[in-house]
Structure formats: C-alpha cells, structure tokens
Amino acid sequence: MLTKLEVHGFKNLLNFSMNLGPFNCIAGLNGVGKSNIFDAIRFLSLLSSTSIVEAALAIRDSESSDPLDIFWTNGEIRVEELRLAVEMIVPRDVIDDFGRKAQATSTFLRYEIHIARDLQDEANGSLGLYLAYESLNHIKKGDAASLIHFPLDAGRFRDQVIVNNRKGAGFISTSKSDDGVIEISQHQDGGSRGHAQKIPARHVPKTVIANTNSSTWPTILAARREMQSWRFLSLEPTAMRRSNKMHEDGRVGPDGGRLAAALHKLYRRDDHVYSRIANRLSRIIPTSDVRVDVDQVRQLLTVEVKERSGTFLPARALSDGTLRFLSLCIMAEDPDFNGLLCFEEPENGIHPAKMDAMLALLKDLAVDPFSPVSDTNPMRQILIATHSPVLVRLETPDDLIYADLVKVRGPTGKPTATVRCKSLRESWRVRAGGDFVDKGSIISYLTLPQNSQIDLFETEEGSS
C-alpha cells in the first residue's frame, strides 16, 4: 500500500506530493496531468522489474520515441535529473524467485530513486540515462501514527500490518567514493552483522530493487514484490469477451482478459461465488445468475449471464459497461488479488444512474482499515481518475482529490504550470497538511456548460 508519493522533474510534476489512503479518487479537467500521476507510479513499478531505459520507453507518450520525454521540459530546456519517492506498507511474508520463503524485517518503508541524464553521452549520440541515487529505509513503528494520516483502527489494522525490527542503517543506501564514483550499497537485514554489497551505479542497467530476487535480502525483496503488485487496468472489450482455455492463468489480466478462467477458479473454491457476483451485477442490469460454461470437447471456458427472459448470454453478447463491471466483481471476490489497483475513467460504459453501484464496487475492493487484514479483507488499495461530474458528486470528502493546474517557480526560475492535488477542507488529507479547495472552486467542474439546452436542476412549472 502506498501511503505517500513524491515526484519532481517527471513530466509536468514539480515538487509534487500526495498522501494516499485505501481508496483515492482523483478528479479534474482534461489536460491537467492526472495521467502523469499514474505514469509516475507505473514508472516506479516498472523499475522494480525492467531496466531504466525499458521502463522509460514503456511510459505513455514516449513509447517507440524518446525515453527522455519522461523528464520535465518547457520546450527549450530539459531537467537533468528526476526524483521519485514513496512511503509504502509492504507484505512481511515473501517468496523469492527460487521458491524460498522469508520474512521482511520492516514493513513500513521509504523508497527513493533519482534517474539522471548523461549530457556527454547524449552529445555523442547515445542514450545517457543512469541511476544517480537509490535508497530504501525503514520507518519506525512509533512514527507510523504521524505518517499514516487516513482514518484507521490502530490496534486492528495499523499494528497488524506495520512491523519494524530494524535499527541503524537502511537496506539500500547511496554514497560517493573518494574518486567520485556513485556506489549503491545493499545492506543485509542483519544490519552491521553482514557486509554491505557495493554496486557502482553509473553503468548498471537496473535498480538494486530490480536485481534483488533472493531471500538473502528479504526486506528489499518485499519492497520489490509490493511494487510489482501494482496493477494498471485498461479494460479492453475484445479481451473481456474472449473465452479461455481450461488451464489458463486464473487471474484477471490488466486488459480484463481471462474473466472465465478467473471466475472458474473462484467457483472451484466456493460454489456460492456465482450468486454473489450475480447479486452485485443486478445493480446495473436485470440478471439473476452468472456462470461459466465448460466446453469439455474444445477445452474452453465462457462466462455467461442470465438475462430477463431466462436465457444465458455469453460474454461476447454483453455490453462494454457490463463487462467492465463484471471484471471488477470477479476481482473483488479473489482473495489472491492484493496491492494497488490504478484505474482511469471507471465511468466509461456505465449509465449515470448506475454510477453509485460502480463507486460502491470500487470501494468494496479497497481494504477496510478498521478491520484486520484477512482473506475477506485483503490488503488492496484503489486509485482512480475520473472526468465524471456524477462520480464526483457521489464521492465523500475524504476520498476525493481534486487535481488543479497551478503556477510555481520552475527549474528555470520562471513561473511554470504544474499539478497540485487538493482536497475539501473537511477531509483527512487537509488535516494532514494538504492543500485545500473550496466547494465553490469546483462548481465549474460539476455544472453543465453555458450553452446547455436542458437545465437538469429545474423542474417544469407545476411539477413536483
């Protein structure tokens, strides 16, 4: 779980900071930079598995073009370094790439990374991206109350998920040798009892996090597993409508694929799952049953939904909105689905009158911080971005984040536009020191355009 995100020099984000809770809804006008917040998180997640260059190329708007596009620019100059940091709660129990189990020494961590450009390499025509700084430090359990700001039950939730048996140095640190070489040190969980492994940072293609695959470094591995668990949904109708092979991976994919395989896996664990999903799905369409058709001859699984007439319709006959809602219903039932889920524009395909059902489903996906983490309350976190005024009206002050474009002193010393996340005065984010926005300031976001032909807020004369 991410509790804080800090970004500087990445795309249009300058000195950006955001506190996060179990459920987070970012709203704002087009072109503000909401997607850049998602991209910063995605970049960090990619850095836990791939090389720095591959991660830069995989970010939207720079794919198949220039990986330097992730660095802030005003069109004339580009910053030489970008910085990202997160504070996060990581799983204590981990399994390394060789199947060995281990336990992290600390579960509340701060990870920071700086990626820099090599101007000399760029002048010679090569791509000069390198790791300039990397650190992973434990956060004391006693400091958790002042750093985790969202409402929670300290005894049932915070004390359960936060463990710290570490003293002294962190798990990853950066220093410069006498000859000016940047060295990243990887420290064992035993602290001073183990020798640090030093890595010259200048020419390593991956971060230390990405290179850690052994239980020898359990806390670093736990941080990596947490970052690898961050999902970015981009639900595609074609993928959601597709039937699945009987032995296909039983997890819903980022594109919404493998719905039938995932639902079939859940049904084999619990034969009541069909009725629970059907009951939730009935909030947006008239249905009384959901099932998976098993074709033994072709070895295919197909999701089917019972319509009003009593006929079962296959996934290929369902609307895009129904399939998007169904995908989330299946995820909500899967106790193995943990970590952060980022989802842009969940309102797509959903009628405004049914938006409350979508919002309730998304909130049910998030962990309840007033109850212990368990199979029925998995450690899940939800971050959505929306353009829907309807969804914003349905939101609570605690969960709503308003992304606003503001002017700040930029890297050139001149005013430049960047993103600031603001919340309503009564929210926990403002009580934690965050920027606030008055309700009146978002009226323009919630109201109809000036040239609207129908006024939804007035009734005809004489009507009730």
Side-chain angles (χ1 to χ4, degrees):
M1 169 184 279
L2 278 179
T3 59
K4 191 172 188 178
L5 172 69
E6 299 173 7
V7 187
H8 179 69
F10 180 90
K11 294 199 170 182
N12 78 329
L13 302 178
L14 295 171
N15 294 313
F16 175 86
S17 178
M18 178 173 66
N19 290 310
L20 294 105
F23 184 84
N24 312 269
C25 174
I26 303 177
L29 299 173
N30 288 329
V32 170
K34 299 187 299 296
S35 294
N36 292 342
I37 300 170
F38 279 62
D39 285 345
I41 298 172
R42 185 166 179 244
F43 185 55
L44 277 167
S45 181
L46 289 165
L47 287 173
S48 70
S49 299
T50 67
S51 72
I52 296 169
V53 173
E54 288 172 326
L57 284 169
I59 298 300
R60 76 179 79 212
D61 299 333
S62 61
E63 189 170 1
S64 301
S65 57
D66 190 350
L68 295 180
D69 286 345
I70 63 173
F71 290 82
W72 178 92
T73 180
N74 63 356
E76 296 178 1
I77 69 162
R78 193 184 300 274
V79 293
E80 295 181 20
E81 184 178 274
L82 62 84
R83 305 192 300 269
L84 303 103
V86 290
E87 291 174 7
M88 56 186 172
I89 301 171
V90 305
R92 190 175 190 197
D93 297 314
V94 291
I95 300 175
D96 71 10
D97 290 359
F98 309 99
R100 295 175 300 204
K101 297 180 180 180
Q103 279 196 331
T105 303
S106 302
T107 59
F108 192 21
L109 306 170
R110 179 179 173 85
Y111 179 66
E112 186 169 350
I113 188 167
H114 302 179
I115 306 296
R117 298 164 52 209
D118 188 314
L119 302 184
Q120 185 174 349
D121 279 1
E122 288 180 24
N124 294 330
S126 61
L127 185 62
L129 290 185
Y130 66 93
L131 180 62
Y133 179 91
E134 186 175 9
S135 68
L136 180 68
N137 293 301
H138 60 285
I139 299 174
K140 295 177 182 178
K141 190 169 183 177
D143 293 335
S146 62
L147 294 175
I148 299 177
H149 303 289
F150 58 83
L152 52 77
D153 186 301
R156 304 182 75 194
F157 180 79
R158 190 180 66 210
D159 293 346
Q160 179 199 12
V161 299
I162 295 180
V163 173
N164 181 50
N165 297 315
R166 180 77 167 190
K167 295 180 180 179
F171 300 95
I172 301 174
S173 63
T174 300
S175 61
K176 271 190 178 183
S177 62
D178 294 339
D179 56 359
V181 174
I182 300 174
E183 293 181 327
I184 311 292
S185 295
Q186 190 174 10
H187 307 274
Q188 294 183 359
D189 276 38
S192 59
R193 289 177 293 171
H195 294 291
Q197 177 175 315
K198 294 190 175 183
I199 305 162
R202 193 66 177 75
H203 299 293
V204 293
K206 293 184 178 181
T207 63
V208 170
I209 286 271
N211 281 312
T212 302
N213 62 357
S214 168
S215 59
T216 304
W217 322 91
T219 302
I220 302 176
L221 182 62
R224 184 187 186 201
R225 291 290 185 254
E226 168 63 22
M227 294 166 70
Q228 288 175 321
S229 74
W230 300 343
R231 299 190 190 189
F232 302 83
L233 279 190
S234 180
L235 300 178
E236 297 293 338
T238 301
M240 292 186 288
R241 290 190 170 94
R242 191 178 299 126
S243 296
N244 306 138
K245 298 290 185 181
M246 290 189 67
H247 300 293
E248 214 166 323
D249 182 13
R251 292 174 295 180
V252 177
D255 60 357
R258 303 193 296 269
L259 288 188
L263 183 53
H264 188 57
K265 178 196 75 172
L266 293 173
Y267 177 73
R268 285 180 294 175
R269 290 183 182 179
D270 178 4
D271 57 8
H272 296 293
V273 70
Y274 287 168
S275 60
R276 291 196 300 272
I277 289 178
N279 182 61
R280 196 185 290 270
L281 191 61
S282 68
R283 294 194 62 187
I284 66 164
I285 61 169
T287 184
S288 59
D289 202 2
V290 173
R291 71 183 184 187
V292 174
D293 177 67
V294 181
D295 187 331
Q296 296 288 357
V297 175
R298 295 189 297 163
Q299 294 285 288
L300 286 180
L301 304 172
T302 304
V303 172
E304 295 184 333
V305 175
K306 190 176 184 179
E307 66 168 354
R308 190 176 302 172
S309 68
T311 304
F312 275 93
L313 297 177
R316 62 179 177 273
L318 302 177
S319 71
D320 293 359
T322 299
L323 288 168
R324 288 165 67 85
F325 195 87
L326 179 60
S327 299
L328 294 170
C329 288
I330 294 172
M331 289 182 190
E333 290 288 341
D334 190 351
D336 297 331
F337 163 38
N338 295 286
L340 171 67
L341 176 68
C342 297
F343 189 20
E344 296 194 65
E345 301 180 23
E347 65 270 16
N348 286 351
I350 303 297
H351 191 278
K354 304 295 184 181
M355 205 74 75
D356 59 338
M358 173 59 87
L359 185 59
L361 173 55
L362 287 165
K363 292 197 173 189
D364 282 350
L365 275 162
V367 67
D368 177 3
F370 291 93
S371 300
V373 174
S374 64
D375 282 351
T376 57
N377 188 36
M379 191 66 161
R380 299 190 195 122
Q381 184 178 26
I382 306 298
L383 175 61
I384 64 172
T386 181
H387 293 110
S388 169
V390 176
L391 200 60
V392 171
R393 284 181 175 275
L394 292 168
E395 259 300 357
T396 62
D398 266 352
D399 294 335
L400 181 64
I401 303 168
Y402 186 70
D404 199 8
L405 206 59
V406 300
K407 290 283 187 178
V408 300
R409 186 182 178 89
T412 63
K414 297 179 180 180
T416 187
T418 189
V419 184
R420 287 292 179 266
C421 284
K422 303 177 180 180
S423 300
L424 295 174
R425 288 179 181 270
E426 58 266 42
S427 75
W428 63 263
R429 301 174 204 272
V430 172
R431 293 195 297 271
D435 294 336
F436 67 86
V437 59
D438 290 317
K439 291 180 181 178
S441 299
I442 60 173
I443 289 297
S444 61
Y445 182 80
L446 296 173
T447 55
L448 296 171
Q450 288 184 346
N451 60 351
S452 298
Q453 300 299 305
I454 301 176
D455 190 341
L456 299 181
F457 303 102
E458 294 181 2
T459 57
E460 293 182 7
E461 187 176 351
S463 64
S464 60

